[in-house]
Amino acid sequence: MSTDRSPARNDGARLIYLMGPSGSGKDTLLRLLRASLGLADPVWIAQRYITRPSSADEGSIELSEDHYARMAAAGGFALHWRSHGFGYGIGARLDNYLAEGRVVVVNGARRCLPQACARYPALQAVQITVDASVLLERLQRRGREDAVQIAGRLADAGMPLDLPAGVTLHRIGNNDVPEKAAGELMALVRRLMAGPGVVGDLSS
């Protein structure tokens, strides 16, 4: 008889998988979303583990490469991926919160979307879109990368999204004040709190 007491993995119908290029404002939107939630709201905004120092607006947890590799090997991540030389991961307790019926919001990545959809086939994919000129200005203002690295970020942002069959994609533009985009994200969270069956397509 199995002694595994971990929760059964569900289809992720209440999982919001947030994507967008670096500089699109995902961390800002998540901070605004967190501030809009009440203590009684059944929502969990997942914290990311990263193998680089976390910037002030991220609130991520820094791991050494060795610690990251050991967590990945031990099944400590529900999702994990590598991007621009760094490792990223979402803790396995994601499954616990989904099993409790919570809405879970993950700051994911486009390259990890197929992995996420394979594990949670009913997830809600959300793409934050930003004009190239706005993205360039934000990356330069942030000052985290040099010109070559910024060019790589912009090239990545221009790549088409490989959306697995059957996955619903919601697009939220974030060229203007972030409160507007955060309001759209909050509307999706509220609809999922009411029940996954009432969610519409934000991209229409």
Side-chain angles (χ1 to χ4, degrees):
M1 182 175 65
S2 172
T3 59
D4 183 7
R5 296 181 180 274
S6 60
R9 199 175 301 158
N10 67 25
D11 64 0
R14 283 188 167 88
L15 174 62
I16 296 176
Y17 188 83
L18 195 65
M19 299 171 289
S22 181
S24 62
K26 298 188 302 297
D27 290 303
T28 297
L29 298 185
L30 291 176
R31 186 171 64 250
L32 292 171
L33 176 63
R34 188 177 288 108
S36 299
L37 293 169
L39 293 176
D41 288 330
V43 180
W44 181 61
I45 300 176
Q47 212 166 18
R48 290 198 304 184
Y49 296 87
I50 312 178
T51 60
R52 62 163 170 77
S54 173
S55 61
D57 63 336
E58 284 180 304
S60 300
I61 299 173
E62 181 184 359
L63 294 180
S64 67
E65 285 286 355
D66 181 64
H67 192 176
Y68 177 87
R70 284 188 280 112
M71 277 190 70
F77 296 128
L79 300 167
H80 62 94
W81 65 95
R82 297 199 69 88
S83 178
H84 295 274
F86 300 108
Y88 295 77
I90 306 296
R93 61 177 175 162
L94 166 61
D95 289 324
N96 297 73
Y97 288 113
L98 288 176
E100 292 173 1
R102 294 173 183 256
V103 174
V104 176
V105 185
V106 166
N107 186 351
R110 183 178 56 194
R111 67 193 65 210
C112 188
L113 181 60
Q115 177 196 146
C117 290
R119 186 174 177 115
Y120 309 105
L123 63 75
Q124 304 293 320
V126 177
Q127 184 179 31
I128 305 301
T129 62
V130 182
D131 290 344
S133 59
V134 175
L135 186 60
L136 173 60
E137 179 185 353
R138 289 179 183 174
L139 290 172
Q140 290 174 333
R141 187 170 62 243
R142 184 172 66 179
R144 188 189 299 170
E145 298 100 351
D146 59 28
V148 173
Q149 292 170 320
I150 288 176
R153 295 284 190 185
L154 293 173
D156 277 358
M159 295 291 291
L161 180 65
D162 183 16
L163 189 68
V167 176
T168 300
L169 178 66
H170 310 273
R171 290 187 176 90
I172 297 177
N174 192 28
N175 286 314
D176 303 316
V177 293
E179 287 77 10
K180 180 177 182 294
E184 293 184 45
L185 182 59
M186 186 66 191
L188 176 57
V189 169
R190 293 291 185 197
R191 276 180 267 174
L192 285 176
M193 287 168 60
V198 301
V199 176
D201 187 353
L202 297 182
S203 62
S204 60

